[in-house]
Amino acid sequence: MSRPILLGVNIDHAATVRQARYRGSHASPHAEPSPLAFTREALAGGADGITVHLREDRRHIQEDDVLAIARLPGVRLNLEMACTPWMTDFARRLRPAAVCLVPESREEITTEGGLEVAGQRDRVAATVAALRDAGIEVSLFIGPEATQIDAAHAVGAPVVELHTGAFANAWLSPAADAELARLRAGCEHAHRLGLVVNAGHGINYDNIRAILTLPHLHELNIGHTIVARSLLTGVRAAVAEMKAHLRGGA
Ligand code: PXP
């Protein structure tokens, strides 16, 4: 039997809700919801990993959130970050299990919305090397096109996270099949090169059925839909429901 696909729960939007009320005082004991408490509940619900994006504009997750979550016993932390010297230094000191390099500025973004690796190979290669040197697994968040996958392989990243946003936007429209086919080709191409294949962005409790038809998936990173569902069901149940999909039982 093949191994179940892992579920990385992206908790950024728990922090988005907190920041809506507590921007400037997020460390106050009254500030809620707590991303740390959300993390504990997500792990109790069966999350295989926790993902946070420490954005340069600090619009949701803050540095002290990342430090507190990294200290939790048993958490496999995936830090999403821009490809900058400051973030690289932060990650090398933190040493999370994994880092996913994502675009933040306009010029780093491909038409797919993923990281423009092919157009800035030297910069990405230097960041990948510095992170791997600290013992961190590195993935690149890229569109499913072959040029970006080839570039990710060439710069030494062992993992790619394929951007599922275009597919999610097309879901339930006539364009969805073509987007899924592009993702399928991307999964196959990356796998042929020996890359570990993750995917994420815009996956929800409905379109997950189609995503699970893709080959070679190792991990899915899912955030918004789980945070949204948890408002109705609680975090544990929301995570457990998505886990059941990944196990093929929902
Ligand atoms: N993967 C990456 C690289 C992301 O940046 C995000 C959040 O934007 C996600 C996955 C999760 O996306 P969503 O919140 O739409 O599930």
Side-chain angles (χ1 to χ4, degrees):
M1 208 183 110
S2 60
R3 279 153 51 107
I5 298 166
L6 302 178
L7 174 61
V9 176
N10 180 316
I11 64 155
D12 290 347
H13 295 310
T16 301
V17 176
R18 178 193 62 192
Q19 296 303 99
R21 170 65 64 200
Y22 292 99
R23 189 175 304 279
S25 60
H26 73 271
S28 142
H30 310 295
E32 60 184 356
S34 151
L36 187 62
F38 195 98
T39 294
R40 286 201 186 93
E41 288 298 299
L43 293 172
D48 298 295
I50 297 295
T51 296
V52 292
H53 184 178
L54 185 62
R55 292 186 64 98
E56 294 200 273
D57 63 13
R58 302 293 193 268
R59 72 171 67 151
H60 38 52
I61 289 289
Q62 309 295 310
E63 272 162 71
D64 48 8
D65 295 324
V66 182
L67 299 177
I69 291 166
R71 277 197 294 267
L72 268 186
V75 71
R76 190 173 63 84
L77 179 63
N78 173 35
L79 175 66
E80 290 178 4
M81 55 175 252
C83 202
T84 65
W86 191 94
M87 281 304 317
T88 304
D89 189 50
F90 178 83
R92 280 172 57 88
R93 280 183 280 115
L94 183 73
R95 291 178 184 248
V99 158
C100 181
L101 294 176
V102 300
E104 283 190 19
S105 64
R106 218 168 222 304
E107 58 279 10
E108 292 180 323
I109 298 178
T110 64
T111 48
E112 300 293 335
L115 184 66
E116 174 54 71
V117 183
Q120 47 172 353
R121 284 181 191 229
D122 291 350
R123 179 170 170 231
V124 179
T127 306
V128 169
L131 294 168
R132 292 192 75 180
D133 179 57
I136 301 166
E137 180 187 88
V138 184
S139 78
L140 304 182
F141 183 50
I142 57 173
E145 64 273 38
T147 45
Q148 299 299 338
I149 295 169
D150 289 340
H153 182 244
V155 300
V159 185
V160 288
E161 179 172 329
L162 297 184
H163 195 316
T164 51
F167 160 76
N169 289 339
W171 177 239
L172 300 181
S173 85
D177 284 351
E179 292 298 340
L180 197 63
R182 278 164 24 76
L183 283 168
R184 178 168 292 109
C187 290
E188 275 160 1
H189 187 65
H191 179 72
R192 264 196 306 275
L193 292 176
L195 297 166
V196 173
V197 186
N198 297 340
H201 201 94
I203 299 173
N204 61 34
Y205 292 89
D206 188 31
N207 66 27
I208 183 76
R209 288 178 285 127
I211 291 288
L212 291 175
T213 66
L214 295 172
H216 312 303
L217 289 175
H218 174 70
E219 180 171 55
L220 295 175
N221 278 304
I222 306 179
H224 181 273
T225 201
I226 291 176
V227 174
R229 180 67 57 103
S230 71
L231 294 173
L232 302 177
T233 66
V235 182
R236 284 188 205 203
V239 172
E241 187 180 345
M242 192 57 87
K243 273 287 286 189
H245 279 291
L246 269 55
R247 285 198 204 98

